[in-house]
Every structure is written in structure tokens, then in C-alpha cells.
Amino acid sequence: MLNLRRFRSIFLSLLLFMMFFVPQISMAETLDNNVPDARPAASVPILKSAISLPVAGAATTNQLNSARWLVHKDAVEGTSKLRLVIDTSDPVIVSSTLDGNGPQLVLDIKGAVVGDLDDSITLDGQIAEKVRFIKKDGNNSQAIVDLPAMIDDGDYKVFTLKSDTANKKSFRVVVDINKPVPKVVYNFTPGLRNKVIVIDPGHGGSDPGAIGPNKVQEKTVTLGVAQKVKAMLENAGAKVLMTRQTDVDVYGPNASAVDELKARTIVANNNKADVFVSIHINAFSNPTVGGTATYYYQKSNYDALLATCIQDGLVATGGLQDRGTYPAGFYVIKRTTMPSILAELGFISNPAEEKLLSTYQFQQQMAQGIVQGLDKFFSQAAKRGGGL
Amino acid sequence: MFPKRIFLVVMLLLMTVMLGGCDNTTQQPPVPLQNENPQQQAAPIEGATVTPSSVGQDTMKMTVYYATKDALNLVGEQYVVPKNTHPAQTAMELLVAGTKNPELISVIPAGTKLRNISVKDHIAYADFSDQLVKNNKGGSASEILLVASIVNTLTEFHDIKKVQIMVEGKKIDTISGHMDIGEPLSRSEKIIKK
Ligand SMILES: [Zn+2]
């Protein structure tokens, strides 16, 4: 009779046997076959610190071999940065300066001459215009990146990467340049009086949004809170526009998701609103998760401030766990032109919070938090003055 | 009887493979990953204890991202799988199958299937069945983690720089009405738990 140990050993040897015969094709090669005439890949987006590598002693043949670039669009935050990668045969030492005379980033590359690569490469045009490679004395070279506008030290990063033979990558100089935040000038005055505020109750009509374990729907709670915010803001003298006043789709019944979102941004953009506030209720598969979070998309120097003020207001009046403020590439806050936020008041998937969110009293507290946050925002933004 | 039956199946399999092996043409049993539960062939391994020596010539290592219990971050879980010609597909199938780690949470909605994955010009087109949208429970926290887990898992491969999420063969603009995912997206490092 076959005992269990024997069965296990047969099974394992069978497994090993099968594994041995699986075709030996590497991941990288396989994927390369699918990209016949693709631009060479940029380096792995794992950021390493910009510590210079030692220059190889007598290597006189070290040179800049090739350069390539890619615009990286962060999946979560929706922000863009341009990554320029320069391949070198051996390690180099790189230092960088923002040229004081114009919008230029200058990289001094010590230990490599300009090799057989194009003198100038056109970049995306929005984040950076072009890069030029210039021969310097001895073993050194320079790369000059022309920018469309002045940037700050915090807007770019330069670092080196070691060669990676497993993935057929040479030594690399990497330059990351963030898409600059537009220097929009707003001259906000303190107070809510005469402010044009767009309130966007999330979801509605054919789209219920998230649904709680006891069947409370996101669209009902967001509308309830939005109506209370409207009443309070109007009492304070603000002009309030709602993207929807009832349980309807904003664009039209069963509109495509994007038409629906776009319709909400049009309300704000066409009415020259001062700020846009989108109200949502969160959900997650783990029912114990709860709390308030506020999201912003950094289009100006005011979006993060608006998020902080409203988050603080909501946490103060609602008392739920403070999950903080985060940048996010949400459609309605990305495509509205004025400072905008999307607040996730609580988690409808959390039974205790679902119950709270369905009550008049708690909706009133949440509305109060948003109004307090807006008031605080206008007073702080007024102190900041135009542009910053 | 239970053991007898397994014994027979194993012996039959073994004989088939042996016969194939004796025959000097290098015919191997095909590895139909698409029709199998990836859990059966891929063993999750503890991230910290992986040493290069544990990954042989015939296996490959891949990282699949799942959510933390607090819905704030993603954590990469490492798998060692038999080498095959479609590692990106294998990684997506592991993601869809979900994690067994009780400390992590699977984010792909129940019933979702991977329809197809292709890579062109360093952009992966990951096409899912419509359960990705229909069975989504809503909430921007879930949407962020879902999108980032797909994008981050695929951009682990050196030749994938961006990911276009598709449903039933078409590009989609959003999953649950918050995120703007109409164009190819790159990796998000900040959401990964450090
Ligand atoms: Zn929502």
C-alpha cells in the first residue's frame, strides 16, 4: 500500500520533472517580442538616491551612448513627470544646476565623453523642450535641458543607476522633472459672502454609488449632506450651485460614466466658481475600515490648502477617524479649473458609519464641517495673497 | 478509495511524462495557464526570505500587489512560478485569483476574469470581463487600490511602462466614477507600503 510520504515524494519529483522541461525564456525577452519597433525602455521607476558612483579609474572609453525619455503619469495621483535616461558605459559623477539665466537645467557629467548619440533630442514640449549634449574638456560632458518655464529645485531630481546585467541595462543617469504646477493668481477675500461655490453630490439617478450592508446608498447621503451645506452657505451669503438638486443623473439617464463626470465639471467651469466641493461616501471590502479622507489634485497652490481646511472641518464636527488628505487623479477635481476637493465623509461599508451617515443629525454635522472648512480656506487663502 | 484513486492518477501522469521524456524529441507537457487556477502552480513566498538561490533557471519571480487591511496601501507579495512565455498574464491571473495572506486583501471584484493582455510600445493593455465594473462595490478607496494594484503589478516587468485598463475589449474612463483612467497610467510608488 502506498503511504502518504511515498505519495508526496512521487508527486514532488513529478513536479520537479515538469518544471525542468518548461521552456526557458526570460521575462524580458518574451515581452520584447511583443514590442517590435518600440522606443527603448526607460529605466525601472524605482527611485534611488542621487549618490554619485565612483568613477572607474583608467576608463577613457566611457561615453554617453544613448538617451531616451518617457512621460510618467502616476496611476493614483494623476500627476505627470518627464524621465530622461542617459546610458553610459561606466559610472559617472553628475551634478546639476538650474541655470540662473533662463529656464534651463544643466547637468555636468564627469567621466564620460559625448558618444554616438544625437546632439539634441526633442522632448515632450510641455515639461521640457529639448536636451542637448555638449562636449566639455577632457573626459567630461554636459547635458542641457531646455524648459518651457523656470522651475524650482524641488521640481526635479537627478540620480544615477548602476548597470543591471540581468535586465541588460547599462549605467544610467536619470533626470526626473515634475510637470510644474501652474502659478495661477487668485485674490481670494476672507469670508463666505458672495463666493460662488459649486457643491457636487456624488453619483445619483441610475448610479447609486456605494451601497452599505444595510442598503443605505451613497447617492442619498451625498445629496442629503449637499442640501444642508447649500442652506448653510446661503445663510452666510454665498452663491451656491449644485450639480444636482434631486436624485438624478447630471448628464442624463444612464449617461456614460465620463459624460456624467464631465457634466459636473461644466457646472463649475461655466459659472466661474471660486471653489468646487465634491461629496462622496467611501467603501471597502473590509467592513472595519472607517474614517474621513479628503482628496485634491494639485492644479494650483490652493488645492491642498482647500483639502486640509475641509478635512479639518469634517474631522472636528464629525469625529470620525482622520485618514488625512491625499493627492488623487479623480476626474471631477482634475478637470475643474478652480481649487477643488473630493471629500469621502465616511465608509458606507462600515455598519456603524453607515448608520450614522443616514441620520439627519450626522449629515448636519458633516455639512457644518464643510462650511467651517470653506470659511477657514477663504481666510487663509486671502492671507496668502495672489499666486501663492 | 481515496488514496488508491490519487495513486492511479499520479502514476498515469508520471507515465505520460516519462514516455514523453524517453522519446528524445523535447516534447513537454504544455502549461495551459489560462485554464488553470494559478494558485496551484504558484507558491507565495515570504518577501524577506527570498534569496536568489531559491529561484532557479526554470522558475521566475514576480511581485503581485494586494491591499492592506486599512485600505491605505498596497503590499507586494512575491511568487515563484515555473518559467513561461507570458509572465504578465501569469501575474494578472495571480492578482485576479487573490491572496491567501490573511494580512492582505484582494482588490479585484469577485467574478472578474482576465480576458486578454497584450503589450505594445511598452504599454500593457489589460482587458478584464465586465465584473470589474459591475461587481465593484464602489468607493474611491477601493477604486484607487484596484487601479494601482493592476498598474503596479504589471509595471514590475521591465518592458511595461504604462498600463491601459480595458473592460470587454474597450477602454474605460472610470471604474466606479471617481478615477480618470481613460489613458495609459504609470506606476504609483507612493501607495506602496514602505
Ligand atoms: Zn463616490
Side-chain angles (χ1 to χ4, degrees), chain A residues 203 218 280, chain B residues 178:
Chain A
H203 311 277
E218 179 179 359
H280 284 253
Chain B
H178 312 96

Side-chain angles (χ1 to χ4, degrees), chain A residues 121-172:
Chain A
I121 296 172
T122 305
L123 303 173
D124 79 316
Q126 290 200 320
I127 302 173
E129 280 161 358
K130 64 174 187 284
V131 58
R132 290 171 287 146
F133 300 100
I134 291 164
K135 188 183 168 347
K136 299 298 278 187
D137 55 310
N139 263 353
N140 306 322
S141 51
Q142 223 175 32
I144 299 175
V145 183
D146 292 330
L147 305 162
M150 299 294 277
I151 60 168
D152 296 324
D153 281 335
D155 294 333
Y156 79 97
K157 214 184 274 178
V158 176
F159 56 99
T160 55
L161 291 173
K162 281 185 219 160
S163 71
D164 174 1
T165 42
N167 292 299
K168 299 193 190 99
K169 291 187 185 295
S170 67
F171 286 91
R172 285 149 290 162

Side-chain angles (χ1 to χ4, degrees), chain A residues 202-203 209-210 218 222 279-282 342 344, chain B residues 138-140 176-178:
Chain A
H203 311 277
E218 179 179 359
T222 60
I279 300 172
H280 284 253
I281 313 298
N282 223 331
L342 186 149
E344 292 281 3
Chain B
S140 59
S176 65
H178 312 96

Side-chain angles (χ1 to χ4, degrees), chain A residues 2 7 17 22 30 32 34 39 42 45 71-75 167 282-283 286 289 323 331 335 344, chain B residues 6-7 17 28 61 69-70 83 85 119 122 140-142 158-159 161-162 178 180 183 186-189:
Chain A
L2 182 72
F7 166 70
F17 192 76
V22 173
T30 311
D32 269 343
N34 295 329
R39 222 165 45 213
V71 175
H72 176 112
K73 193 177 175 69
D74 189 287
N167 292 299
N282 223 331
N286 176 1
V289 173
R323 289 171 69 86
Y331 190 100
R335 312 243 180 165
E344 292 281 3
Chain B
I6 292 184
F7 174 71
V17 176
Q28 317 105 26
K61 214 166 75 171
K69 279 175 163 173
D70 58 7
K83 223 167 229 187
T85 56
V119 181
H122 301 291
S140 59
S142 306
H158 289 272
D159 291 282
K161 297 299 162 205
K162 295 187 184 191
H178 312 96
D180 186 3
E183 54 187 328
S186 328
R187 192 176 179 79
S188 188
E189 287 291 339

Side-chain angles (χ1 to χ4, degrees), chain A residues 36-59:
Chain A
D37 45 7
R39 222 165 45 213
S43 70
V44 204
I46 288 170
L47 302 182
K48 296 191 177 173
S49 57
I51 296 167
S52 314
L53 290 157
V55 178

Side-chain angles (χ1 to χ4, degrees), chain A residues 251-274:
Chain A
Y251 183 84
N254 296 304
S256 80
V258 74
D259 281 339
E260 180 64 19
L261 295 173
K262 196 174 175 185
R264 294 167 194 260
T265 64
I266 286 170
V267 173
N269 293 346
N270 287 0
N271 288 289
K272 296 196 168 37
D274 290 306

